[in-house]
Amino acid sequence: MDRACGPHRPDYCAIDFGTSNSALGFAVGTAGAGMRLAVLEDGLTTMPTAVFYDAEDGARLYGRAAIAAYVDGVDGRLMRSIKSILGSDLMDETTEYAAGRAVHYIDVVVAYLRQLRLTAEAQAGRPLVRVVLGRPVFFVDDDPVRDRKAQDTLAAAAQAAGFTEVAFQYEPIAAALDFESTLQHETLVLVADIGGGTSDFSVVRASPARHGMLDRRADVLANHGVHVAGTDFDRAVNLAAIMPLLGLGSRSTRGHEVPSSIYFNLATWHLINTTYTPLRLAQLRQLRPMYADPQAFERLARVLRQRLGHLLAGRAEAAKIEAAQRGASRIGLEAVERGLHVDLDAPAQARALAPWIERIVAAAGETCAQAGVPAQAIEALYFTGGSTGLTALTDALAARFARARRASGERFSSVVQGLAISAQRRFAPTRAGS
């Protein structure tokens, strides 16, 4: 009997491989009649997209355990936002995590996807070898060649992780499938899927009457997106609130602004590790006489020597969330200097995020323009993705589409639920003669 359609062994799953968090749904029932979200870590169905390499023995930790090891000071290297490097030249390079030990960036992606597969297989009680992977509308903005390279790289990584058949579905389309199941009549929807790395939009004709159809391309009027989202918000907060304490924007002894590239790299998740190399540390020592504020330089040097960049990025991310929810946040920086802290309030955060929010809102408008649909024709705004928890962002989008009603899916699982629908439609039907 054909293994792919055997009645007792549905061997497929769906993966939302996110910049910040990931999730997996696998088929259940004798013929894959339903899908279930895998419990990936600590009883939760989402897991941070992070891998930690232990410098002592090379052991790998994943998700929250990876982040905890880093924060606890275990010697090693934390790799986070690994989806962001797809399509970049970094995929062909290695990164050192201990003296004489290095790993290819692509192998970090492979290891993470394999961990997802093995965790789900343990719960499913069978191999999972076919997968529908979510992908953003654009891995790389305005560069079709690199965008295709990113998808091909992710497909190759999935195959290396043990999947023999790999298919893709746009993440916002997956979210639309999830939302459509709640509708009573045809609705013109703008799906806003704003996660950690990308903001993707789709204008979709959602209809309960066509919910079961396999080919819905005619109902997708436009797709568009930008490589701007939650990690850019984290970086913006980091640069606005934390990095000035380390010297960003300060003056040299000659009255010029000190070089800023080190601060931008230190505030960017997937570039933080590049600031710790011996060459960068040597270059930094040469800059010391330039700083008119020696205290700021010493803070920067301490952060690099003690590899505190990810800790600061984590503090910026937490402050972003707290300021959005409570109106203000105090960022503790005791690891850098005793008693050091900085306050972030909602107005300051809004100023820091404004350029990024403007780009996202503009991308939403462009999506409608590409669909030939005026903003006032949009009947529903469907929000999904972790960054839609920022009220300033959702309010700005709602103002742009004032006639649309707001709707929200589960921020961290609506995409994987839609991908699961795609996986069922692609893999579940029984073939003739099976």
Side-chain angles (χ1 to χ4, degrees):
M1 181 177 288
D2 185 342
R3 181 176 184 272
C5 62
H8 302 295
R9 296 182 64 84
D11 60 356
Y12 56 87
C13 64
I15 293 178
D16 177 15
F17 177 56
T19 303
S20 298
N21 296 278
S22 295
L24 182 149
F26 62 88
V28 296
T30 57
M35 298 290 284
R36 172 182 142 195
L37 296 185
V39 176
L40 298 176
E41 186 183 32
D42 296 339
L44 302 172
T45 56
T46 61
M47 183 169 75
T49 310
V51 185
F52 182 83
Y53 287 80
D54 192 305
E56 183 176 348
D57 57 10
R60 290 188 295 258
L61 296 172
Y62 301 92
R64 294 169 186 81
I67 296 171
Y70 179 83
V71 172
D72 289 345
V74 177
D75 189 19
R77 176 66 54 84
L78 177 68
M79 302 292 291
R80 194 172 178 186
S81 296
I82 54 180
K83 183 179 180 179
S84 300
I85 62 179
L86 292 171
S88 74
D89 294 337
L90 283 176
M91 291 305 296
D92 301 320
E93 298 181 8
T94 61
T95 181
E96 187 176 274
Y97 63 89
R101 290 185 176 179
V103 61
H104 284 88
Y105 281 102
I106 182 63
D107 290 332
V108 180
V109 178
V110 171
Y112 187 84
L113 293 176
R114 183 183 294 116
Q115 176 67 14
L116 293 180
R117 179 179 64 81
L118 293 176
T119 301
E121 285 183 345
Q123 295 169 45
R126 61 185 180 277
L128 300 172
V129 296
R130 296 186 291 171
V131 64
V132 170
L133 275 164
R135 60 149 292 166
V137 176
F138 298 111
F139 282 106
V140 182
D141 295 339
D142 302 320
D143 193 332
V145 173
R146 289 180 62 200
D147 185 76
R148 182 66 196 185
K149 177 183 177 182
Q151 177 173 304
D152 290 345
T153 300
L154 182 54
Q159 290 168 343
F163 293 105
T164 59
E165 187 173 347
V166 180
F168 288 92
Q169 175 63 276
Y170 287 120
E171 290 156 0
I173 303 305
L177 291 174
D178 183 53
F179 175 56
E180 187 176 57
S181 65
T182 70
L183 297 178
Q184 301 299 316
H185 55 81
E186 184 174 302
T187 304
L188 195 61
V189 182
L190 178 64
V191 178
D193 180 9
I194 306 173
T198 58
S199 294
D200 293 319
F201 298 93
S202 293
V203 176
V204 178
R205 187 186 297 112
S207 170
R210 294 193 292 277
H211 187 63
M213 294 175 59
L214 291 178
D215 188 352
R216 297 293 302 279
R217 285 175 293 179
D219 292 324
V220 180
L221 305 186
N223 301 306
H224 184 58
V226 288
H227 203 70
V228 175
T231 54
D232 297 289
F233 299 157
D234 298 343
R235 179 175 59 182
V237 168
N238 203 336
L239 291 171
I242 298 176
M243 291 299 150
L245 297 176
L246 277 58
L248 175 63
S250 65
R251 294 292 169 178
S252 70
T253 52
R254 296 185 178 182
H256 303 295
E257 189 171 311
V258 299
S260 61
S261 62
I262 185 67
Y263 299 102
F264 282 87
N265 289 349
L266 191 58
T268 303
W269 273 107
H270 66 280
L271 295 177
I272 291 173
N273 289 332
T274 67
T275 67
Y276 300 149
T277 64
L279 177 60
R280 293 301 296 267
L281 292 173
Q283 292 172 339
L284 181 67
R285 286 192 292 270
Q286 294 175 359
L287 293 176
R288 183 171 186 170
M290 291 181 56
Y291 278 72
D293 182 352
Q295 185 179 35
F297 176 85
E298 289 303 325
R299 290 170 179 164
L300 174 61
R302 189 175 302 117
V303 166
L304 297 184
R305 286 196 306 267
Q306 298 181 14
R307 300 191 172 193
L308 299 176
H310 287 98
L311 175 65
L312 298 187
R315 296 288 169 83
E317 180 183 17
K320 172 196 71 177
I321 296 169
E322 186 176 29
Q325 294 177 342
R326 302 183 180 180
S329 177
R330 170 158 290 191
I331 307 173
L333 301 171
E334 288 280 349
V336 179
E337 181 180 296
R338 179 175 294 180
L340 186 65
H341 67 270
V342 63
D343 293 323
L344 176 73
D345 59 23
Q349 172 156 286
R351 289 191 296 272
L353 301 187
W356 304 108
I357 291 176
E358 289 173 6
R359 286 187 61 188
I360 292 171
V361 173
E366 175 61 22
T367 309
C368 290
Q370 291 183 13
V373 172
Q376 59 268 29
I378 298 297
E379 299 172 271
L381 271 172
Y382 181 69
F383 294 114
T384 186
S387 291
T388 57
L390 288 174
T391 302
L393 173 60
T394 54
D395 283 352
L397 285 165
R400 179 69 175 80
F401 302 93
R403 297 185 64 181
R405 66 180 178 89
R406 297 194 200 191
S408 298
E410 208 295 321
R411 286 192 289 135
F412 296 105
S413 68
S414 59
V415 170
V416 74
Q417 289 167 355
L419 292 173
I421 293 172
S422 292
Q424 284 182 293
R425 292 177 180 176
R426 178 177 292 270
F427 298 131
T430 302
R431 295 172 186 164
S434 64

